[in-house]
């Protein structure tokens, strides 16, 4: 009889731990959401000039074209184009603190389903003294590259940090 009580108590504790672990993993899994089209704010043609301060010998312009169901990155020589259920974008809301701006809670969108790829976000920043709609790309290290709708004559970056 004593062994049955010990087994019952052990089983109850195990089930309690499993339910706590399951609820914890569901909380973390629910923060990432998915959609089948790119957000309207990110659609269009975006440009960023890379130069010596970003570690390149020759300056060059990266061009990213984002449509409803496709994304083409000329610099990476990569194309993501699919339709319907095959085109999935994951996004997550995170806190972003940029130098000179207040903390914002913005959706970070990932349009690639493979490997360690950057996230993109849409916001408004001062570029060349004017408030402009820009797209930021999450960096591996260093400042955020600022993508604009116009071909820039100089490199625009902003330092900041984001928290998951």
């Amino acid at each position: 009889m004593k062994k049955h009580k010990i087994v019952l108590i052990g089983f109850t504790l195990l089930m309690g731990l499993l339910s706590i672990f399951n609820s914890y993993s569901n909380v973390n899994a629910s923060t990432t959401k998915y959609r089948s089209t790119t957000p309207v704010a990110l659609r269009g043609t975006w440009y960023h000039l890379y130069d010596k301060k970003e570690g390149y010998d020759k300056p060059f312009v990266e061009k990213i074209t984002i449509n409803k169901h496709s994304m083409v990155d000329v610099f990476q020589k990569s194309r993501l184009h699919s339709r319907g259920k095959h085109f999935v974008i994951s996004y997550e809301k995170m806190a972003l603190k940029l130098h000179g701006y207040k903390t914002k809670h913005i959706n970070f969108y990932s349009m690639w389903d493979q490997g360690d790829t950057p996230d993109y976000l849409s916001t408004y920043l001062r570029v060349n003294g004017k408030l402009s709609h820009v797209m930021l790309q999450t960096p591996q290290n260093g400042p955020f590259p600022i993508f604009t709708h116009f071909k820039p004559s100089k490199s625009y970056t902003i330092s900041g940090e984001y928290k998951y």
Side-chain angles (χ1 to χ4, degrees):
M1 193 60 135
K2 199 172 194 180
K3 288 183 182 180
H4 292 297
K5 285 183 180 180
I6 291 174
V7 169
L8 184 62
I9 290 172
F11 182 72
T12 306
L13 287 174
L14 179 65
M15 293 308 288
L17 287 173
L18 285 175
S19 67
I20 289 171
F21 177 74
N22 190 24
S23 66
Y24 175 75
S25 65
N26 284 341
V27 167
N28 287 340
S30 68
T31 58
T32 301
K33 298 175 184 165
Y34 299 94
R35 56 186 294 160
S36 61
T37 60
T38 57
V40 175
L42 289 179
R43 293 180 196 169
T45 304
W46 299 94
Y47 302 97
H48 176 70
L49 178 68
Y50 288 96
D51 62 3
K52 290 184 179 183
K53 74 177 182 181
E54 292 174 285
Y56 296 97
D57 293 335
K58 292 172 90 177
F60 66 94
V61 175
E62 179 178 5
K63 177 183 172 185
I64 296 177
T65 304
I66 301 174
N67 295 321
K68 187 175 183 178
H69 293 289
S70 67
M71 178 176 177
V72 178
D73 189 343
V74 174
F75 170 63
Q76 303 284 342
K77 294 185 171 73
S78 56
R79 170 182 289 260
L80 178 65
H81 180 83
S82 53
R83 294 246 176 235
K85 66 181 179 182
H86 302 290
F87 187 75
V88 177
I89 297 172
S90 61
Y91 66 99
E92 189 172 359
K93 187 168 251 182
M94 293 185 272
L96 174 67
K97 173 65 175 132
L98 297 172
H99 180 72
Y101 294 89
K102 293 181 180 179
T103 301
K104 301 177 183 183
H105 295 279
I106 298 177
N107 285 331
F108 285 67
Y109 294 92
S110 178
M111 288 169 239
W112 305 99
D113 56 354
Q114 54 196 345
D116 187 19
T117 58
D119 291 336
Y120 299 93
L121 56 122
S122 171
T123 189
Y124 286 88
L125 297 176
R126 290 212 174 272
V127 177
N128 243 1
K130 295 180 185 177
L131 191 64
S132 301
H133 179 225
V134 298
M135 178 177 75
L136 299 178
Q137 183 182 46
T138 56
Q140 289 288 340
N141 55 14
F144 288 83
I146 298 176
F147 285 81
T148 59
H149 280 297
F150 58 88
K151 287 187 180 179
S153 59
K154 69 178 206 172
S155 178
Y156 296 107
T157 59
I158 190 166
S159 60
E161 60 184 32
Y162 53 96
K163 297 177 180 159
Y164 288 100

